[in-house]
Amino acid sequence: MSAPMVSVTVIDQDGASDFAAPQGTTVAGLCAMLAIDLTIPSVRLTHADGRPLDSAAVLGRELPSGSAIALSSRVLSAQQANEASARHENQWLSPVLALVGICFLLVGAITSLCLMPLVADATLRGFKYPEDGPMWAIILAGIPVWLRILCSLLCCAGALVPLFASRLVRSRPAMLLLMPALAGYSSIGLVSGAGVHALEVAPVVAVWVALIAAVAVASLTGTPAAVSAILVWVGAVALVTVGAYPVFHLVNVAPLAVVVGILLFLMAPRLALRVPDNQLVDASSVLTIPVRIREEPAQTPSPVTGGRMATALGHTDARNALIVTASTLFVLVGGVPLALSVTPTIDVGRGIGGFVLVIAAIITLLTSPRATRNHLGRILPRLSAAGLAAAFLLGAWVQSWTGHIGLYPLLPVCVLIVVGVSVAAGVALYEPKGHAALAGTILDFVQTFCTFLLLPAAFMASGLFEFAWRAVL
Protein backbone atom coordinates (compact mmCIF):
# COMPACT_ATOMS: atom_id res chain seq x y z
CA MET A 1 0.00 0.00 0.00
CA SER A 2 1.43 3.38 -1.03
CA ALA A 3 2.15 6.05 1.60
CA PRO A 4 -0.08 9.12 1.65
CA MET A 5 1.35 12.28 0.04
CA VAL A 6 1.97 15.56 1.86
CA SER A 7 1.90 18.84 -0.08
CA VAL A 8 4.27 21.68 0.80
CA THR A 9 5.03 25.07 -0.70
CA VAL A 10 8.68 25.99 -1.19
CA ILE A 11 9.43 29.73 -1.42
CA ASP A 12 12.80 30.79 -2.84
CA GLN A 13 14.22 33.67 -4.88
CA ASP A 14 12.39 32.40 -7.98
CA GLY A 15 8.99 32.50 -6.28
CA ALA A 16 6.64 29.97 -4.69
CA SER A 17 6.36 26.35 -5.96
CA ASP A 18 4.09 23.50 -4.76
CA PHE A 19 5.49 19.99 -4.26
CA ALA A 20 4.14 16.65 -2.98
CA ALA A 21 6.28 14.14 -1.04
CA PRO A 22 5.46 10.88 0.79
CA GLN A 23 4.49 11.22 4.43
CA GLY A 24 7.49 10.66 6.70
CA THR A 25 9.95 12.38 4.37
CA THR A 26 12.27 14.80 6.15
CA VAL A 27 12.90 18.33 5.00
CA ALA A 28 16.49 17.37 4.17
CA GLY A 29 15.17 14.54 1.99
CA LEU A 30 12.83 16.91 0.19
CA CYS A 31 15.71 19.30 -0.43
CA ALA A 32 17.81 16.43 -1.77
CA MET A 33 14.99 15.59 -4.22
CA LEU A 34 15.01 19.23 -5.34
CA ALA A 35 18.85 19.31 -5.70
CA ILE A 36 19.24 21.85 -2.92
CA ASP A 37 22.55 21.63 -1.06
CA LEU A 38 21.93 22.41 2.61
CA THR A 39 25.63 22.10 3.46
CA ILE A 40 26.32 25.57 2.07
CA PRO A 41 26.56 27.89 5.12
CA SER A 42 24.69 30.72 3.45
CA VAL A 43 21.55 28.63 2.80
CA ARG A 44 18.98 28.61 5.60
CA LEU A 45 15.51 27.10 6.08
CA THR A 46 12.68 28.95 7.83
CA HIS A 47 8.95 28.75 8.27
CA ALA A 48 6.75 31.21 6.40
CA ASP A 49 6.77 33.54 9.41
CA GLY A 50 10.58 33.59 9.64
CA ARG A 51 11.08 31.02 12.44
CA PRO A 52 14.07 28.67 11.89
CA LEU A 53 13.21 25.24 10.51
CA ASP A 54 15.13 22.09 11.39
CA SER A 55 16.19 20.03 8.38
CA ALA A 56 15.25 16.84 10.34
CA ALA A 57 11.60 17.90 10.57
CA VAL A 58 9.25 15.23 9.18
CA LEU A 59 6.52 16.02 6.67
CA GLY A 60 3.09 15.07 8.00
CA ARG A 61 4.24 15.19 11.64
CA GLU A 62 6.14 18.44 12.43
CA LEU A 63 5.04 19.93 9.11
CA PRO A 64 1.37 19.27 8.27
CA SER A 65 0.11 19.21 4.73
CA GLY A 66 -0.07 22.68 3.18
CA SER A 67 2.86 24.11 5.14
CA ALA A 68 5.26 26.63 3.58
CA ILE A 69 9.05 26.39 3.63
CA ALA A 70 11.12 29.51 2.98
CA LEU A 71 14.52 28.93 1.43
CA SER A 72 16.83 31.94 1.54
CA SER A 73 20.49 32.82 1.20
CA ARG A 74 22.29 35.37 3.34
CA VAL A 75 24.52 36.33 0.40
CA LEU A 76 21.54 36.76 -1.87
CA SER A 77 19.65 38.75 0.76
CA ALA A 78 22.57 41.11 1.25
CA GLN A 79 22.88 41.52 -2.51
CA GLN A 80 19.17 42.28 -2.82
CA ALA A 81 19.38 44.78 0.03
CA ASN A 82 22.32 46.53 -1.64
CA GLU A 83 20.49 46.63 -4.96
CA ALA A 84 17.38 48.06 -3.30
CA SER A 85 19.47 50.67 -1.49
CA ALA A 86 21.21 51.61 -4.74
CA ARG A 87 17.87 51.93 -6.51
CA HIS A 88 16.54 54.14 -3.70
CA GLU A 89 19.62 56.35 -3.83
CA ASN A 90 19.43 56.59 -7.60
CA GLN A 91 15.78 57.60 -7.40
CA TRP A 92 16.84 60.58 -5.26
CA LEU A 93 20.24 61.26 -6.83
CA SER A 94 19.35 61.20 -10.51
CA PRO A 95 16.70 63.98 -10.38
CA VAL A 96 18.95 66.09 -8.15
CA LEU A 97 21.92 65.72 -10.49
CA ALA A 98 19.71 66.50 -13.47
CA LEU A 99 18.34 69.61 -11.75
CA VAL A 100 21.83 70.77 -10.76
CA GLY A 101 23.00 70.21 -14.32
CA ILE A 102 20.09 72.24 -15.69
CA CYS A 103 20.85 75.08 -13.26
CA PHE A 104 24.53 75.20 -14.22
CA LEU A 105 23.62 75.05 -17.92
CA LEU A 106 21.15 77.92 -17.60
CA VAL A 107 23.51 80.07 -15.53
CA GLY A 108 26.40 79.46 -17.94
CA ALA A 109 24.33 80.20 -21.03
CA ILE A 110 22.79 83.39 -19.65
CA THR A 111 26.09 84.63 -18.23
CA SER A 112 27.98 84.11 -21.48
CA LEU A 113 25.32 85.16 -23.98
CA CYS A 114 23.34 87.82 -22.06
CA LEU A 115 25.05 89.24 -18.98
CA MET A 116 28.60 89.54 -20.28
CA PRO A 117 27.46 91.25 -23.53
CA LEU A 118 25.58 93.80 -21.37
CA VAL A 119 28.74 94.43 -19.37
CA ALA A 120 30.71 94.70 -22.61
CA ASP A 121 28.24 97.26 -24.01
CA ALA A 122 28.51 99.34 -20.85
CA THR A 123 32.32 99.14 -20.98
CA LEU A 124 32.56 100.26 -24.62
CA ARG A 125 30.30 103.26 -23.98
CA GLY A 126 33.09 104.71 -21.85
CA PHE A 127 35.30 105.05 -24.92
CA LYS A 128 34.91 107.69 -27.60
CA TYR A 129 35.62 105.07 -30.23
CA PRO A 130 34.49 101.50 -29.45
CA GLU A 131 37.51 100.13 -31.30
CA ASP A 132 39.73 101.47 -28.52
CA GLY A 133 38.08 99.28 -25.91
CA PRO A 134 39.40 95.96 -24.62
CA MET A 135 39.31 93.01 -26.97
CA TRP A 136 37.02 90.89 -24.74
CA ALA A 137 34.42 93.66 -24.72
CA ILE A 138 34.56 94.05 -28.49
CA ILE A 139 34.08 90.30 -29.01
CA LEU A 140 31.20 89.97 -26.55
CA ALA A 141 29.45 93.11 -27.77
CA GLY A 142 29.39 91.57 -31.23
CA ILE A 143 26.88 88.91 -30.17
CA PRO A 144 23.63 89.73 -32.03
CA VAL A 145 20.68 91.05 -30.04
CA TRP A 146 18.33 88.44 -31.52
CA LEU A 147 20.60 85.66 -30.23
CA ARG A 148 20.57 87.17 -26.73
CA ILE A 149 16.77 87.43 -26.71
CA LEU A 150 16.36 83.87 -28.05
CA CYS A 151 18.74 82.48 -25.43
CA SER A 152 16.89 84.41 -22.74
CA LEU A 153 13.50 83.03 -23.75
CA LEU A 154 14.73 79.44 -24.01
CA CYS A 155 16.51 79.55 -20.67
CA CYS A 156 13.53 81.18 -18.99
CA ALA A 157 11.26 78.40 -20.27
CA GLY A 158 13.81 75.78 -19.21
CA ALA A 159 13.84 77.17 -15.68
CA LEU A 160 10.04 77.07 -15.36
CA VAL A 161 9.35 73.65 -16.91
CA PRO A 162 10.56 71.61 -13.87
CA LEU A 163 8.18 73.54 -11.59
CA PHE A 164 5.13 72.68 -13.69
CA ALA A 165 6.23 69.19 -14.74
CA SER A 166 7.31 67.70 -11.41
CA ARG A 167 5.28 67.63 -8.21
CA LEU A 168 8.46 66.72 -6.31
CA VAL A 169 10.16 69.94 -7.43
CA ARG A 170 7.14 72.03 -6.40
CA SER A 171 7.09 70.40 -2.98
CA ARG A 172 10.60 71.63 -2.15
CA PRO A 173 10.58 75.14 -0.64
CA ALA A 174 14.08 75.89 -1.95
CA MET A 175 12.95 75.12 -5.50
CA LEU A 176 10.12 77.67 -5.23
CA LEU A 177 12.81 80.30 -4.68
CA LEU A 178 15.56 78.92 -6.91
CA MET A 179 13.65 78.21 -10.11
CA PRO A 180 11.83 81.60 -10.30
CA ALA A 181 15.19 83.23 -9.52
CA LEU A 182 16.72 81.35 -12.45
CA ALA A 183 13.81 82.43 -14.65
CA GLY A 184 14.39 86.04 -13.61
CA TYR A 185 18.11 85.75 -14.20
CA SER A 186 17.39 84.27 -17.62
CA SER A 187 15.27 87.26 -18.57
CA ILE A 188 18.09 89.81 -18.44
CA GLY A 189 18.77 89.13 -22.10
CA LEU A 190 15.45 90.81 -22.95
CA VAL A 191 16.86 94.26 -22.05
CA SER A 192 19.70 94.08 -24.57
CA GLY A 193 17.93 96.54 -26.84
CA ALA A 194 17.12 99.00 -24.03
CA GLY A 195 20.12 101.21 -24.87
CA VAL A 196 22.32 103.08 -22.44
CA HIS A 197 20.67 101.98 -19.17
CA ALA A 198 20.27 98.29 -20.05
CA LEU A 199 22.56 97.10 -17.27
CA GLU A 200 20.70 99.20 -14.66
CA VAL A 201 17.29 97.96 -15.86
CA ALA A 202 18.29 94.27 -15.85
CA PRO A 203 17.82 93.66 -12.06
CA VAL A 204 14.34 95.22 -12.16
CA VAL A 205 13.30 93.03 -15.09
CA ALA A 206 14.75 89.96 -13.37
CA VAL A 207 12.79 90.36 -10.12
CA TRP A 208 9.55 91.18 -11.94
CA VAL A 209 9.86 88.07 -14.11
CA ALA A 210 10.59 86.02 -10.99
CA LEU A 211 7.46 87.43 -9.35
CA ILE A 212 5.36 86.60 -12.42
CA ALA A 213 6.78 83.06 -12.41
CA ALA A 214 5.94 82.64 -8.71
CA VAL A 215 2.38 83.87 -9.30
CA ALA A 216 2.00 81.46 -12.23
CA VAL A 217 3.20 78.52 -10.14
CA ALA A 218 0.82 79.42 -7.28
CA SER A 219 -2.19 79.88 -9.57
CA LEU A 220 -1.70 76.91 -11.89
CA THR A 221 -0.38 74.26 -9.50
CA GLY A 222 -2.09 75.21 -6.24
CA THR A 223 1.01 74.58 -4.11
CA PRO A 224 0.39 76.12 -0.65
CA ALA A 225 4.04 77.10 -0.16
CA ALA A 226 3.98 78.97 -3.48
CA VAL A 227 1.76 81.66 -1.90
CA SER A 228 4.53 82.37 0.61
CA ALA A 229 6.98 82.52 -2.29
CA ILE A 230 4.82 85.26 -3.82
CA LEU A 231 5.14 87.25 -0.59
CA VAL A 232 8.93 86.89 -0.70
CA TRP A 233 9.20 87.98 -4.32
CA VAL A 234 6.90 90.95 -3.70
CA GLY A 235 9.38 92.16 -1.08
CA ALA A 236 12.29 91.65 -3.47
CA VAL A 237 10.48 93.50 -6.27
CA ALA A 238 9.70 96.44 -3.98
CA LEU A 239 13.30 96.76 -2.78
CA VAL A 240 14.95 96.41 -6.19
CA THR A 241 12.47 98.72 -7.91
CA VAL A 242 12.91 101.43 -5.28
CA GLY A 243 16.67 101.10 -5.52
CA ALA A 244 16.65 101.45 -9.31
CA TYR A 245 14.07 104.24 -9.62
CA PRO A 246 15.83 107.57 -10.32
CA VAL A 247 13.62 109.53 -7.91
CA PHE A 248 14.92 107.47 -4.99
CA HIS A 249 18.61 107.79 -5.87
CA LEU A 250 19.35 108.87 -2.28
CA VAL A 251 17.77 105.73 -0.81
CA ASN A 252 19.97 102.73 0.03
CA VAL A 253 17.90 99.54 -0.04
CA ALA A 254 20.47 97.41 1.85
CA PRO A 255 19.21 98.43 5.36
CA LEU A 256 15.63 97.90 4.22
CA ALA A 257 16.51 94.40 3.01
CA VAL A 258 17.97 93.57 6.43
CA VAL A 259 14.81 94.72 8.18
CA VAL A 260 12.58 92.80 5.77
CA GLY A 261 14.61 89.64 6.33
CA ILE A 262 14.49 89.87 10.11
CA LEU A 263 10.76 90.66 10.15
CA LEU A 264 10.10 87.69 7.86
CA PHE A 265 11.92 85.42 10.27
CA LEU A 266 10.09 86.79 13.29
CA MET A 267 6.72 86.40 11.57
CA ALA A 268 7.52 82.98 10.05
CA PRO A 269 5.47 80.97 12.60
CA ARG A 270 2.40 83.14 12.06
CA LEU A 271 2.76 83.16 8.28
CA ALA A 272 3.46 79.43 8.08
CA LEU A 273 0.49 78.08 10.08
CA ARG A 274 -2.82 78.90 8.43
CA VAL A 275 -6.04 77.53 9.87
CA PRO A 276 -9.47 78.69 8.64
CA ASP A 277 -11.55 80.58 11.18
CA ASN A 278 -14.38 78.09 10.96
CA GLN A 279 -11.96 75.38 12.17
CA LEU A 280 -11.17 77.37 15.30
CA VAL A 281 -14.69 78.44 16.31
CA ASP A 282 -18.00 76.78 15.52
CA ALA A 283 -19.79 80.05 14.75
CA SER A 284 -23.19 78.41 14.25
CA SER A 285 -23.19 77.05 17.82
CA VAL A 286 -22.15 80.30 19.55
CA LEU A 287 -24.47 82.75 17.77
CA THR A 288 -26.32 85.08 20.14
CA ILE A 289 -28.45 86.86 17.50
CA PRO A 290 -30.54 85.39 14.69
CA VAL A 291 -29.06 85.11 11.22
CA ARG A 292 -30.34 87.60 8.66
CA ILE A 293 -32.22 86.43 5.60
CA ARG A 294 -29.51 87.30 3.03
CA GLU A 295 -26.59 86.42 5.28
CA GLU A 296 -24.60 83.39 4.28
CA PRO A 297 -24.90 80.60 6.87
CA ALA A 298 -21.79 79.90 8.91
CA GLN A 299 -19.80 76.84 7.92
CA THR A 300 -19.42 74.11 10.48
CA PRO A 301 -15.91 72.86 11.27
CA SER A 302 -14.68 69.90 9.28
CA PRO A 303 -13.83 66.73 11.21
CA VAL A 304 -10.27 66.76 12.50
CA THR A 305 -8.55 63.60 11.29
CA GLY A 306 -4.98 62.36 11.39
CA GLY A 307 -4.57 62.72 7.64
CA ARG A 308 -5.75 66.32 7.61
CA MET A 309 -3.50 67.18 10.53
CA ALA A 310 -0.51 65.60 8.77
CA THR A 311 -1.29 67.55 5.60
CA ALA A 312 -1.62 70.83 7.50
CA LEU A 313 1.63 70.24 9.37
CA GLY A 314 3.41 69.33 6.13
CA HIS A 315 2.29 72.57 4.47
CA THR A 316 3.29 74.48 7.60
CA ASP A 317 6.80 73.02 7.60
CA ALA A 318 7.22 73.80 3.90
CA ARG A 319 6.09 77.41 4.28
CA ASN A 320 8.24 77.89 7.36
CA ALA A 321 11.34 76.53 5.59
CA LEU A 322 10.70 78.79 2.59
CA ILE A 323 10.23 81.93 4.71
CA VAL A 324 13.29 81.23 6.88
CA THR A 325 15.44 80.61 3.80
CA ALA A 326 14.19 83.81 2.17
CA SER A 327 14.81 85.82 5.33
CA THR A 328 18.39 84.55 5.43
CA LEU A 329 18.93 85.62 1.82
CA PHE A 330 17.49 89.08 2.51
CA VAL A 331 19.73 89.56 5.54
CA LEU A 332 22.91 88.38 3.83
CA VAL A 333 22.34 90.21 0.53
CA GLY A 334 21.56 93.48 2.25
CA GLY A 335 23.52 93.13 5.48
CA VAL A 336 26.96 92.09 4.26
CA PRO A 337 27.49 95.14 1.97
CA LEU A 338 26.08 97.39 4.69
CA ALA A 339 28.36 95.95 7.39
CA LEU A 340 31.40 96.26 5.12
CA SER A 341 30.80 99.93 4.32
CA VAL A 342 29.14 101.41 7.40
CA THR A 343 31.06 103.93 9.53
CA PRO A 344 29.71 106.28 12.23
CA THR A 345 31.05 109.33 10.34
CA ILE A 346 28.56 109.26 7.44
CA ASP A 347 26.42 112.41 7.29
CA VAL A 348 22.74 112.96 8.17
CA GLY A 349 22.64 110.10 10.64
CA ARG A 350 23.27 107.35 8.06
CA GLY A 351 26.44 106.18 9.74
CA ILE A 352 24.99 106.03 13.23
CA GLY A 353 21.79 104.42 11.92
CA GLY A 354 23.70 101.77 9.96
CA PHE A 355 26.00 101.13 12.92
CA VAL A 356 23.02 100.59 15.26
CA LEU A 357 21.18 98.52 12.64
CA VAL A 358 24.06 96.08 12.17
CA ILE A 359 24.53 95.57 15.93
CA ALA A 360 20.79 95.21 16.56
CA ALA A 361 20.42 92.79 13.65
CA ILE A 362 23.23 90.57 14.93
CA ILE A 363 21.77 90.46 18.46
CA THR A 364 18.24 89.79 17.18
CA LEU A 365 19.39 86.96 14.91
CA LEU A 366 21.34 85.39 17.76
CA THR A 367 18.56 85.55 20.35
CA SER A 368 15.36 85.00 18.38
CA PRO A 369 16.00 81.33 17.37
CA ARG A 370 15.78 80.28 21.04
CA ALA A 371 12.03 79.69 20.73
CA THR A 372 12.29 77.80 17.43
CA ARG A 373 12.05 74.02 17.35
CA ASN A 374 12.90 73.67 13.65
CA HIS A 375 16.58 72.95 13.00
CA LEU A 376 16.56 75.19 9.93
CA GLY A 377 15.14 78.03 11.99
CA ARG A 378 17.90 77.59 14.57
CA ILE A 379 20.83 77.34 12.18
CA LEU A 380 20.20 79.83 9.36
CA PRO A 381 19.60 82.97 11.49
CA ARG A 382 22.76 82.31 13.48
CA LEU A 383 24.72 81.77 10.29
CA SER A 384 23.38 85.11 9.07
CA ALA A 385 24.48 86.75 12.32
CA ALA A 386 27.92 85.21 11.93
CA GLY A 387 28.14 86.55 8.37
CA LEU A 388 27.15 90.05 9.48
CA ALA A 389 29.62 89.96 12.37
CA ALA A 390 32.47 88.83 10.12
CA ALA A 391 31.67 91.52 7.53
CA PHE A 392 31.44 94.15 10.26
CA LEU A 393 34.80 93.20 11.79
CA LEU A 394 36.43 93.17 8.36
CA GLY A 395 34.64 96.31 7.18
CA ALA A 396 35.54 99.95 6.71
CA TRP A 397 34.99 100.98 10.34
CA VAL A 398 37.47 98.48 11.81
CA GLN A 399 39.89 99.16 8.98
CA SER A 400 39.77 102.89 9.70
CA TRP A 401 41.19 102.52 13.22
CA THR A 402 43.48 99.56 12.62
CA GLY A 403 44.96 100.24 9.21
CA HIS A 404 47.45 102.91 10.31
CA ILE A 405 49.03 100.63 12.93
CA GLY A 406 49.27 97.59 10.68
CA LEU A 407 46.92 95.32 12.58
CA TYR A 408 44.31 94.96 9.84
CA PRO A 409 43.10 92.29 9.13
CA LEU A 410 44.91 90.42 11.92
CA LEU A 411 42.91 92.01 14.73
CA PRO A 412 39.41 91.15 13.36
CA VAL A 413 40.50 87.57 12.74
CA CYS A 414 41.81 87.30 16.31
CA VAL A 415 38.58 88.79 17.65
CA LEU A 416 36.53 86.22 15.69
CA ILE A 417 38.66 83.35 17.00
CA VAL A 418 38.50 84.54 20.61
CA VAL A 419 34.73 85.10 20.47
CA GLY A 420 34.14 81.72 18.81
CA VAL A 421 36.25 79.84 21.36
CA SER A 422 34.63 81.71 24.25
CA VAL A 423 31.10 80.99 23.05
CA ALA A 424 31.88 77.31 22.42
CA ALA A 425 33.50 76.93 25.84
CA GLY A 426 30.64 78.75 27.57
CA VAL A 427 27.99 76.59 25.92
CA ALA A 428 29.90 73.41 26.75
CA LEU A 429 30.76 74.25 30.37
CA TYR A 430 27.87 76.37 31.60
CA GLU A 431 24.81 74.61 32.98
CA PRO A 432 21.99 76.84 34.26
CA LYS A 433 21.03 75.93 37.83
CA GLY A 434 18.06 77.94 38.99
CA HIS A 435 18.73 81.11 36.95
CA ALA A 436 17.50 79.91 33.55
CA ALA A 437 14.29 81.96 33.83
CA LEU A 438 16.26 85.11 34.72
CA ALA A 439 18.64 84.60 31.80
CA GLY A 440 15.70 84.02 29.45
CA THR A 441 13.95 87.15 30.68
CA ILE A 442 17.07 89.24 30.13
CA LEU A 443 17.50 87.84 26.63
CA ASP A 444 13.83 88.50 25.84
CA PHE A 445 14.25 92.11 26.94
CA VAL A 446 17.42 92.54 24.85
CA GLN A 447 15.76 90.93 21.82
CA THR A 448 12.65 93.12 22.13
CA PHE A 449 14.74 96.26 22.53
CA CYS A 450 16.89 95.44 19.47
CA THR A 451 13.81 94.57 17.43
CA PHE A 452 12.31 97.94 18.37
CA LEU A 453 15.50 99.67 17.14
CA LEU A 454 15.48 97.99 13.72
CA LEU A 455 12.87 100.17 12.00
CA PRO A 456 14.12 103.62 13.08
CA ALA A 457 17.74 102.60 12.47
CA ALA A 458 16.88 101.32 8.99
CA PHE A 459 14.90 104.51 8.30
CA MET A 460 18.01 106.56 9.07
CA ALA A 461 20.59 104.26 7.48
CA SER A 462 18.68 103.85 4.20
CA GLY A 463 18.49 107.60 3.63
CA LEU A 464 14.70 107.82 3.81
CA PHE A 465 15.01 110.52 6.47
CA GLU A 466 17.42 112.48 4.28
CA PHE A 467 15.16 111.99 1.25
CA ALA A 468 12.08 113.25 3.13
CA TRP A 469 14.08 116.15 4.64
CA ARG A 470 15.32 117.34 1.24
CA ALA A 471 11.88 116.87 -0.31
CA VAL A 472 10.30 119.11 2.34
CA LEU A 473 13.00 121.76 2.26
Side-chain angles (χ1 to χ4, degrees):
M1 184 176 179
S2 60
M5 305 296 289
V6 178
S7 62
V8 292
T9 301
V10 178
I11 304 173
D12 56 6
Q13 65 270 17
D14 296 328
S17 303
D18 295 328
F19 297 97
Q23 184 177 3
T25 305
T26 62
V27 174
L30 176 64
C31 292
M33 298 177 189
L34 300 177
I36 299 174
D37 189 2
L38 296 180
T39 60
I40 300 176
S42 60
V43 177
R44 58 179 179 176
L45 294 171
T46 61
H47 291 275
D49 56 0
R51 291 181 291 110
L53 177 62
D54 188 6
S55 59
V58 178
L59 301 182
R61 193 188 324 176
E62 286 85 3
L63 286 178
S65 181
S67 299
I69 301 175
L71 184 66
S72 62
S73 171
R74 293 183 178 90
V75 177
L76 183 62
S77 300
Q79 180 181 359
Q80 291 175 346
N82 292 333
E83 292 177 355
S85 177
R87 286 195 300 269
H88 179 71
E89 291 179 358
N90 292 334
Q91 289 177 357
W92 171 84
L93 187 60
S94 298
V96 171
L97 290 178
L99 195 59
V100 171
I102 291 175
C103 294
F104 274 104
L105 181 63
L106 295 179
V107 171
I110 292 300
T111 302
S112 58
L113 296 179
C114 297
L115 180 61
M116 294 306 297
L118 288 179
V119 177
D121 293 340
T123 302
L124 293 180
R125 289 191 185 97
F127 295 88
K128 184 176 181 180
Y129 300 100
E131 295 80 7
D132 298 335
M135 183 57 63
W136 66 269
I138 297 175
I139 295 175
L140 291 176
I143 298 178
V145 176
W146 66 267
L147 181 59
R148 305 181 193 179
I149 297 176
L150 179 61
C151 176
S152 179
L153 293 175
L154 292 177
C155 292
C156 187
L160 293 179
V161 165
L163 282 176
F164 295 100
S166 175
R167 186 185 299 271
L168 182 62
V169 175
R170 294 194 300 269
S171 63
R172 302 293 181 182
M175 294 295 103
L176 295 175
L177 294 177
L178 176 62
M179 303 312 290
L182 283 177
Y185 181 67
S186 302
S187 65
I188 61 177
L190 301 177
V191 301
S192 300
V196 179
H197 303 290
L199 196 59
E200 289 78 8
V201 177
V204 181
V205 174
V207 293
W208 276 100
V209 171
L211 175 60
I212 295 173
V215 172
V217 171
S219 59
L220 297 181
T221 63
T223 306
V227 180
S228 300
I230 294 176
L231 177 64
V232 172
W233 285 113
V234 166
V237 165
L239 292 174
V240 175
T241 305
V242 168
Y245 202 70
V247 176
F248 299 100
H249 65 281
L250 295 176
V251 178
N252 183 14
V253 297
L256 301 179
V258 175
V259 173
V260 170
I262 295 177
L263 292 181
L264 275 178
F265 174 72
L266 295 177
M267 294 188 299
R270 181 175 298 179
L271 296 175
L273 182 59
R274 297 176 182 175
V275 181
D277 292 339
N278 65 311
Q279 288 295 121
L280 300 176
V281 177
D282 189 357
S284 59
S285 62
V286 297
L287 287 176
T288 57
I289 58 176
V291 180
R292 296 182 180 181
I293 297 177
R294 290 185 175 86
E295 184 177 352
E296 184 178 357
Q299 296 181 356
T300 58
S302 302
V304 178
T305 61
R308 290 179 178 177
M309 291 178 62
T311 301
L313 291 177
H315 294 332
T316 300
D317 292 338
R319 282 191 290 259
N320 183 75
L322 186 143
I323 294 173
V324 170
T325 304
S327 68
T328 303
L329 294 176
F330 274 110
V331 171
L332 291 178
V333 171
V336 171
L338 177 65
L340 287 173
S341 60
V342 67
T343 57
T345 58
I346 302 178
D347 296 335
V348 199
R350 284 195 175 193
I352 299 297
F355 192 84
V356 173
L357 176 62
V358 172
I359 299 299
I362 293 174
I363 295 176
T364 304
L365 292 173
L366 287 176
T367 56
S368 57
R370 294 177 299 113
T372 304
R373 297 180 59 187
N374 188 5
H375 292 289
L376 199 65
R378 288 178 173 268
I379 295 174
L380 290 184
R382 288 164 178 166
L383 288 179
S384 303
L388 291 183
F392 183 68
L393 292 176
L394 297 174
W397 182 66
V398 176
Q399 187 178 5
S400 65
W401 55 269
T402 58
H404 64 281
I405 57 177
L407 293 179
Y408 182 82
L410 181 61
L411 182 60
V413 174
C414 294
V415 171
L416 284 176
I417 294 175
V418 171
V419 171
V421 172
S422 301
V423 172
V427 172
L429 300 177
Y430 175 72
E431 295 182 2
K433 297 179 180 179
H435 301 286
L438 177 61
T441 303
I442 294 174
L443 290 177
D444 289 339
F445 172 77
V446 173
Q447 175 186 338
T448 304
F449 180 73
C450 292
T451 305
F452 176 77
L453 289 179
L454 289 176
L455 285 177
F459 186 79
M460 297 294 297
S462 62
L464 287 175
F465 176 78
E466 183 180 357
F467 176 79
W469 177 60
R470 293 191 178 185
V472 172
L473 296 181

